[in-house]
Amino acid sequence: MHVVVTGGCGFVGSALARRLVEWLPAIRVTAFDNLRRAGAETNRSLLRSLGIAVVHGDARCRSDVDALPACDWLIDAAAEPSVLAGTTAAGGGGTTSRQLVEHNLWGTVNLLEAAAERRSGFVMLSTSRVYAIEPLARLPLAESGSVFRLDTASPLPIGVGPAGISEAFATAGPVSLYGATKLASEALAIEYAAQARTPLFINRCGVMAGAGQFGRADQGIFSWWIHAWAARRPLRYIGFGGRGLQVRDCLHPDDLARLIMTQLSTTATGPQPLVNVSGGLASATSLAELSAWCADRFGPHEVAADPAPRPNDIPWLVLDHGRASQAYAWQPDRDRLTIFEEIAAHAEDHPDWLDRVAN
Ligand SMILES: NC(=O)c1ccc[n+]([C@@H]2O[C@H](COP(=O)([O-])OP(=O)(O)OC[C@H]3O[C@@H](n4cnc5c(N)ncnc54)[C@H](O)[C@@H]3O)[C@@H](O)[C@H]2O)c1
């Protein structure tokens, strides 16, 4: 089996490429990346040392994509992944709205065309940020210690339950420009796969976290927070009263890799039901809780309060991965404390990491 991983030098793409060659000895993997993300370069020689071919190319460029070899599967992990990308807010990787659409939507169209021509299966890494911002921002929440909790005694919108946000939650915009590029890519991927009768899996991923992530304040928050704490960089609780009560769940890329391995063994054709893939409620953590963990691990460090809201921000976002669990007999293995410790150990081994991955 030959698998092409686009964004293959990124945090998730490189982890998927590595696990595929480790777990499936007969596989051939090609990583395709334009190396635009600061830090992506660090993965190139590691991948090559594992026998993974690394092709430097840009998904926006039709001739780069046309030069890709024939493959059985194309896993699309190339994107500008920040929810602030394309906005004028600080962060967002300095990406303009046009660049965001070109990377995340036109790039996907080029890859879908290539997959259709090669009759390859397609795995798309979508995002929890396809869910509508307004109803997410209005979820009934209660404060409990240093964390927001979903108030399950109040009426909840469709697609919300004690386990979090399911695939039935509203996707009508605004969902952020980032979310919209992913939602549009999902819609196009479904049409391409239905027409070509090639297998398609859409995985709506929650927040991913692990060692080696190119964390920034706007993207890769668990990695950024732990590295910044270890390096005694300035940290701020932004929005929601400036106390760090906002909550996210987190998933390790190895757990995503296990799920994708199951998907690659399918004999089904056409689009398969899309699923949320996340750490779920068991891994949900507020920033204040993460700070308490960091203080235990690295000693005290001050976090400033910045109550001014940030665009597209949401106080509580936990993805319910129940459908994926049922469809693939899948559960995340890595709990949040294991993930935090992995990042902390990486921070100790790489004290200059945030400089190396800063755009
Ligand atoms: N990290 C998360 O928390 C998270 C959550 C949900 C979904 N996702 C999705 O997972 C995928 C991977 O995210 P990640 O966290 O690894 O991001 P990342 O920034 O670490 O990796 C993305 C890689 O894609 C490359 N890239 C960007 N534009 C490209 C282009 N036009 N052509 C070729 N390569 C290009 C970058 O150089 C980078 O190496 C993305 O599609 C993202 O939207 C990530």
Side-chain angles (χ1 to χ4, degrees), residues 4-358:
V4 169
V5 183
T6 68
C9 294
F11 169 57
V12 177
S14 64
L16 295 178
R18 288 200 316 268
R19 295 304 168 236
L20 287 175
V21 294
E22 276 171 31
W23 295 342
L24 297 173
I27 203 170
R28 179 177 156 213
V29 176
T30 300
F32 174 87
D33 204 298
N34 66 358
L35 304 176
R36 77 180 292 271
R37 179 86 191 248
E41 184 69 47
T42 60
N43 284 319
R44 193 181 354 195
S45 46
L46 171 67
L47 294 177
R48 285 193 169 145
S49 72
L50 296 170
I52 296 166
V54 180
V55 175
H56 182 221
D58 196 309
R60 296 170 298 178
C61 174
R62 179 73 199 268
S63 58
D64 283 1
V65 173
D66 282 349
L68 277 172
C71 58
D72 303 290
W73 287 92
L74 203 153
I75 301 176
D76 185 14
E80 166 48 68
S82 169
V83 75
L84 290 181
T87 73
T88 51
T95 306
T96 66
S97 49
R98 179 174 291 278
Q99 287 169 331
L100 173 70
V101 172
E102 287 178 354
H103 286 294
N104 290 12
L105 184 55
W106 301 154
T108 308
V109 170
N110 283 337
L111 297 170
L112 288 169
E113 288 277 343
E117 281 159 16
R118 291 159 177 73
R119 305 212 47 75
S120 315
F122 201 88
V123 179
M124 180 185 166
L125 301 193
S126 188
T127 171
S128 54
R129 299 313 299 251
V130 299
Y131 296 119
I133 291 174
E134 279 222 349
L136 280 177
R138 278 191 277 105
L139 287 179
L141 301 178
E143 272 185 45
S144 153
S146 56
V147 57
F148 286 134
R149 293 198 195 287
L150 186 66
D151 178 6
T152 50
S154 297
L156 296 173
I158 291 170
V160 187
I165 309 300
S166 80
E167 296 82 354
F169 195 79
T171 56
V175 294
S176 77
L177 202 51
Y178 166 63
T181 59
K182 290 291 190 173
L183 202 54
S185 294
E186 286 184 2
L188 288 170
I190 289 167
E191 299 307 327
Y192 272 82
Q195 195 164 305
R197 300 194 54 72
T198 46
L200 166 71
F201 292 95
I202 295 175
N203 300 316
R204 288 181 174 168
C205 300
V207 174
M208 310 288 302
Q213 187 167 21
F214 320 133
R216 296 192 309 239
D218 62 296
Q219 203 270 324
I221 183 66
F222 288 95
S223 171
W224 156 259
W225 201 265
I226 294 171
H227 274 273
W229 194 291
R232 298 300 190 269
R233 296 251 184 145
L235 282 168
R236 289 180 302 152
Y237 294 131
I238 300 176
F240 314 113
R243 288 180 296 141
L245 307 188
Q246 57 265 54
V247 170
R248 297 290 184 271
D249 59 349
C250 59
L251 180 74
H252 194 277
D254 284 2
D255 282 327
L256 173 64
R258 276 194 301 109
L259 179 118
I260 290 178
M261 292 248 298
T262 309
Q263 294 175 334
L264 299 192
S265 65
T266 188
T267 52
T269 56
Q272 303 305 302
L274 61 81
V275 292
N276 287 342
V277 185
S278 65
L281 200 61
S283 70
T285 308
S286 73
L287 270 185
E289 289 177 319
L290 183 58
S291 291
W293 185 89
C294 288
D296 272 353
R297 180 68 169 75
F298 294 111
H301 179 48
E302 194 178 334
V303 181
D306 181 359
R310 200 169 56 167
N312 304 335
D313 211 356
I314 288 164
W316 189 91
L317 183 47
V318 174
L319 270 199
D320 175 358
H321 58 67
R323 189 192 277 180
S325 294
Q326 213 169 13
Y328 305 110
W330 173 89
Q331 287 288 337
D333 257 1
R334 304 278 188 104
D335 64 38
R336 61 184 181 150
L337 299 182
T338 311
I339 295 174
F340 299 166
E341 180 49 39
E342 184 189 281
I343 299 170
H346 183 264
E348 284 174 330
D349 290 347
H350 302 83
D352 60 341
W353 187 249
L354 292 182
D355 290 327
R356 286 165 67 183
V357 303

